[in-house]
Amino acid sequence: AIAPDGRVWVANKQSWSISVIAPATFAVVRTIGLPRASQPYGIAFRPGSNTAYVALEATGQLLRYDSTTFARTGTLDVGAHV
């Protein structure tokens, strides 16, 4: 998913993390660790905001992040196979 600042957020399902990539250099500028074996599946950004949503397939959770500070700002249990 492409953040409002142009950086690309990539879900790494097998390594339980998110890679934030600078599109001009293809360099990983940040790695966001996620719960062990959580299997992040997808990322979406809320239009007009710095809010990212990350679906965790194995835990059935939806995580909310601030794409500016990379802080987790919320967690919602939504059930299996989110």
Side-chain angles (χ1 to χ4, degrees):
I2 299 174
D5 64 5
R7 292 183 286 191
V8 180
W9 287 42
V10 178
N12 303 309
K13 189 172 182 177
Q14 298 302 316
S15 63
W16 326 306
S17 65
I18 298 167
S19 295
V20 181
I21 300 169
T25 62
F26 298 108
V28 176
V29 295
R30 171 80 63 151
T31 300
I32 302 169
L34 298 171
R36 180 172 167 75
S38 59
Q39 297 182 345
Y41 184 76
I43 302 170
F45 283 90
R46 181 178 177 181
S49 75
N50 290 322
T51 303
Y53 295 97
V54 180
L56 302 182
E57 186 175 18
T59 62
Q61 294 177 310
L62 183 65
L63 305 182
R64 184 179 63 213
Y65 282 88
D66 181 309
S67 67
T68 304
T69 65
F70 305 103
R72 185 185 311 176
T73 58
T75 303
L76 179 65
D77 292 325
V78 294
H81 308 293
V82 62

